[in-house]
Amino acid sequence: MAVDRYPSRQGQQAKIMERQDPVIHRNPEFADGPLTEQDLKGFEENGYLMFEKLFNDDEVAIMKSELRRTMDLNQERNADDVIKEPGSNEIRSVFEIHKDSGFFQALSKNHRIVKAAQQLLGSQVYITQSRINFKPGFKGKEFYWHSDFETWHIEDGMPNMRAVSCSIILTDNYEYNGPLMLIPGSQKWYVSCPGETPEDNYKSSLQKQETGVPDNESMKWLVDQANGRIDRATGPAGSVLFFECNTMHGSAGNISPYPRSNVFFVFNSIENKLTNPYSGQSPRPEFLANREDIKPITPNKDRLQTFTSR
Ligand code: 6CS
Ligand code: FE
């Protein structure tokens, strides 16, 4: 087992360590993309970047109908990759959405997002995880504060911080329907969390994450480094948020009537393939951590379209 540069969940007290990887992996070979130097500087500083209306109203209309179709398809599907909200039959997440052999598969290869990911990661990219988080009205529960990288490193064996999540807003994200919240600049430190990883942790963590979450002192410290800022990724459907794999984020429950549904494509550098989980446990299922389909994505320039033939 390689030396663990980012140890966590070894029962010890929480510890805050310096990040050991660049936030942006600059590579002239992949510099030709939609992100300007100003965009790159903002991402490097804050650990995220928001684009209002990257997709136009016609494309958003298609996204909404495909979102509805996906929910209907999965409502009665009793499978591991369909996660329900705690205490209700409402769908919380559907994973591996980029393998729907239709609309979301095409969307996951759209050049507007893939070329941006290549610029940020400085390499060819592939999808290591994808999901739709539905966060339905009234019943959508919170996603407590966490660094995705901490989970992907410990439970999926992701070696380095060289992955980026692309969240496409499918239903308007308002201040009051549980938008994603991010601590700007938090990607610069790694919070080594207390506790141990339970066996088959994902069977509960996808509904309510309790391991690999920062303690209150570490959270307060990160917010202090951000001069008290907690940013919210609000915006209309069709907007796109890129956030770095180690940026501390979470979202509150949704008690408004309005769903907050976003699709997430997690792009990993082809140079950062998953290895053995640093927890020492067996790997998580393929729908959470892609190990078998890791060929680089060829970006497509298609306009978004519905895939009636399915
Ligand atoms: O365990 C995971 O991979 C998932 N958990 C959270 C809370 N965010 C990232 C990812 O979807
Ligand atoms: Fe997350």
Side-chain angles (χ1 to χ4, degrees):
M1 167 70 87
V3 171
D4 187 353
R5 298 161 69 229
Y6 294 110
S8 186
R9 307 185 203 179
Q10 290 175 353
Q12 88 288 8
Q13 289 302 313
K15 206 155 43 83
I16 297 183
M17 306 161 54
E18 291 281 330
R19 175 193 184 101
Q20 300 170 63
D21 295 290
V23 175
I24 295 181
H25 299 259
R26 292 193 184 251
N27 177 347
E29 204 187 318
F30 293 91
D32 166 30
L35 304 183
T36 65
E37 193 46 40
Q38 190 188 352
D39 294 332
L40 294 171
K41 285 218 172 2
F43 185 86
E44 196 149 44
E45 185 47 37
N46 297 315
Y48 75 91
L49 193 57
M50 183 74 159
F51 287 98
E52 288 244 340
K53 299 300 288 179
L54 197 66
F55 295 95
N56 66 39
D57 290 346
D58 295 345
E59 294 176 314
V60 168
I62 297 171
M63 287 179 184
K64 287 181 186 296
S65 67
E66 291 294 336
L67 170 68
R68 177 80 262 144
R69 177 188 174 85
T70 303
M71 286 196 79
D72 295 345
L73 270 177
N74 287 285
Q75 189 54 56
E76 299 315 322
R77 223 178 113 244
N78 204 358
D80 281 352
D81 58 5
V82 180
I83 312 298
K84 298 292 176 64
E85 287 292 358
S88 89
N89 194 38
E90 294 281 331
I91 300 182
R92 178 175 172 90
S93 306
V94 171
F95 280 86
E96 260 191 344
I97 193 68
H98 71 289
K99 290 188 176 173
D100 74 344
S101 66
F103 173 79
F104 287 108
Q105 181 166 45
L107 181 59
S108 75
K109 295 175 178 155
N110 189 283
H111 68 107
R112 281 170 272 181
I113 56 175
V114 174
K115 296 217 28 104
Q118 289 176 342
Q119 273 182 280
L120 295 170
L121 304 180
S123 71
Q124 298 277 7
V125 300
Y126 73 97
I127 288 184
T128 186
Q129 182 184 100
S130 71
R131 63 199 184 274
I132 293 180
N133 283 349
F134 288 92
K135 197 174 274 198
F138 301 117
K139 291 259 177 43
K141 296 286 182 278
E142 80 279 4
F143 288 80
Y144 191 71
W145 293 113
H146 63 282
S147 150
D148 290 340
F149 176 77
E150 193 274 350
T151 290
W152 295 338
H153 180 73
I154 299 300
E155 298 193 59
D156 298 331
M158 183 182 279
N160 306 310
M161 295 179 181
R162 193 171 181 183
V164 61
S165 286
C166 171
S167 169
I168 302 175
I169 292 183
L170 302 175
T171 60
D172 297 349
N173 283 205
Y174 304 107
E175 291 289 350
Y176 45 73
N177 67 341
L180 202 96
M181 300 186 287
L182 307 111
I183 310 299
S186 58
Q187 76 284 355
K188 297 173 196 162
W189 294 279
Y190 178 69
V191 179
S192 178
C193 299
E196 306 277 329
T197 308
E199 279 302 312
D200 289 340
N201 184 39
Y202 72 94
K203 289 186 177 163
S204 62
S205 68
L206 299 177
Q207 267 194 330
K208 188 173 174 37
Q209 185 172 352
E210 295 180 324
T211 307
V213 292
D215 60 308
N216 295 348
E217 285 319 302
S218 302
M219 267 316 295
K220 279 187 200 138
W221 187 85
L222 288 176
V223 173
D224 285 350
Q225 305 314 304
N227 301 317
R229 264 174 64 188
I230 297 181
D231 292 356
R232 281 87 58 210
T234 54
S239 304
V240 177
L241 169 78
F242 290 93
F243 59 104
E244 210 273 336
C245 61
N246 185 46
T247 304
M248 190 62 70
H249 65 286
S251 58
N254 179 9
I255 56 170
S256 83
Y258 310 103
R260 190 235 66 185
S261 304
N262 296 358
V263 57
F264 294 74
F265 299 122
V266 184
F267 295 105
N268 192 22
S269 166
I270 202 77
E271 315 295 338
N272 195 37
K273 296 184 186 83
L274 306 185
T275 60
N276 299 320
Y278 286 84
S279 61
Q281 293 175 352
S282 45
R284 298 202 296 174
E286 188 66 18
F287 74 82
L288 272 177
N290 175 15
R291 295 171 189 276
E292 291 162 14
D293 175 15
I294 48 181
K295 57 185 175 306
I297 297 174
T298 304
N300 73 43
K301 283 197 171 250
D302 310 341
R303 298 232 53 85
L304 302 190
Q305 56 173 337
T306 51
F307 283 68
T308 43
S309 57
R310 257 186 297 169

